[in-house]
Amino acid sequence: MREQHARERRNHQGAFQTVRNLCRILLFGCLAAVLLAGCRKTEEGEKTEVDFSVMTDKELPAELLAVIEENKESEMRLTWTDGEEMYLIRGYGKQSTGGYSIAVAECAEDEETLWFDTRLIGPQDTEELSKEASYPYLVVKIALTEKEVVID
């Protein structure tokens, strides 16, 4: 009789271990599924190029020139509108010398956002470089939009 109780106890313990192991596997599987679901890559909306015009100081409204002059010492990422058109301004703050230029890397939009990305290009010819500080900035004009604007 004692042998039979011992065998039954071992059988119950074995069944309990099996159920416990199955629960662990199920729990691990659920956690893995949740983590993997959170790692999906989200796709951005398709971007389209936006037409823009690079503006010279002579072409800018006096009010915008005043805003640029006021902010030129530090980096600036601004939008400005005159009610008909929008201006995107990207300034790189005070540089120790002249000779800098700025290139437009991207001016594109999707359904919700407009992206404007530029790159500061350092002086190329160091022999004829102005020793005076400069304040490189770029202003482009685009059609007026209500979209969120991101300037990098």
Side-chain angles (χ1 to χ4, degrees):
M1 189 80 142
R2 284 187 180 176
E3 269 184 44
Q4 187 176 2
H5 285 294
R7 254 185 277 148
E8 287 177 10
R9 186 177 293 153
R10 280 193 301 267
N11 286 342
H12 286 292
Q13 286 176 345
F16 178 73
Q17 285 287 35
T18 302
V19 169
R20 197 160 91 188
N21 287 340
L22 286 173
C23 286
R24 285 181 180 165
I25 291 169
L26 183 62
L27 179 62
F28 178 75
C30 289
L31 286 174
V34 168
L35 289 174
L36 289 175
C39 293
R40 277 185 288 152
K41 182 179 178 182
T42 58
E43 294 183 24
E44 284 184 0
E46 186 151 335
K47 292 181 184 178
T48 56
E49 295 284 319
V50 172
D51 290 331
F52 64 90
S53 300
V54 176
M55 305 300 290
T56 65
D57 287 351
K58 291 178 183 177
E59 299 171 305
L60 296 178
E63 299 87 10
L64 177 53
L65 277 172
V67 169
I68 292 170
E69 184 64 29
E70 185 178 306
N71 292 287
K72 73 178 185 179
E73 290 278 335
S74 57
E75 283 199 33
M76 63 179 144
R77 293 175 175 88
L78 304 171
T79 60
W80 192 84
T81 182
D82 60 6
E84 296 175 16
E85 296 170 308
M86 179 177 277
Y87 297 84
L88 308 176
I89 303 100
R90 176 63 169 104
Y92 285 87
K94 185 176 182 178
Q95 304 297 316
S96 58
T97 65
Y100 288 86
S101 60
I102 301 171
V104 175
E106 178 182 45
C107 190
E109 65 185 350
D110 67 10
E111 292 178 12
E112 300 172 358
T113 309
L114 182 133
W115 286 272
F116 181 61
D117 187 17
T118 63
R119 300 286 181 260
L120 181 64
I121 301 168
Q124 301 298 317
D125 186 6
T126 56
E127 289 180 14
E128 295 182 25
L129 194 59
S130 167
K131 302 297 182 206
E132 292 183 29
S134 64
Y135 306 88
Y137 65 89
L138 178 73
V139 180
V140 300
K141 180 171 68 172
I142 63 169
L144 189 62
T145 182
E146 295 294 321
K147 295 180 181 184
E148 175 188 4
V149 177
V150 176
I151 302 175
D152 285 326

